[in-house]
Amino acid sequence: RDLHSFPTRRSSDLTPRAKKSLELALRAAVRRKDHAITPGHLLLGVIDQRNNVALQLLQAEGVGSDALREEVSRRMTTPGAA
């Protein structure tokens, strides 16, 4: 599909948690001095937002948020490590 065929969303359409995740993704991009928000930044935003279902499921499987954050950051820095 063409990018322009997707429906657009206003920030007012987003849930408070979605807004917080996007804010944290932006902070991650700024902190890393990146010029764009990537899926990796979005994942870091979700990880940094405590008490979310995705993180709880991962933690139930033994994946800690600190280890996950480090691995995502490593893959964002290492070319071809995706």
Side-chain angles (χ1 to χ4, degrees):
R1 288 177 71 178
D2 182 85
L3 180 63
H4 299 290
S5 67
F6 286 98
T8 58
R9 288 201 168 269
R10 296 180 306 259
S11 64
S12 62
D13 293 339
L14 299 174
T15 66
R17 284 180 179 238
K19 288 179 185 179
K20 185 65 174 178
S21 292
L22 289 172
E23 177 187 330
L24 292 169
L26 175 61
R27 288 183 187 182
V30 169
R31 188 173 49 246
R32 293 171 49 89
K33 296 180 173 64
D34 293 331
H35 297 285
I37 296 175
T38 67
H41 296 111
L42 294 171
L43 186 51
L44 290 173
V46 170
I47 294 166
D48 288 342
Q49 185 175 348
R50 305 293 178 174
N51 300 322
N52 66 67
V53 175
L55 201 52
Q56 290 171 2
L57 290 171
L58 289 167
Q59 288 171 337
E61 294 298 317
V63 179
S65 59
D66 291 337
L68 184 57
R69 186 180 302 101
E70 289 174 21
E71 181 64 16
V72 170
S73 293
R74 184 188 68 77
R75 288 177 182 246
M76 290 173 70
T77 325
T78 307

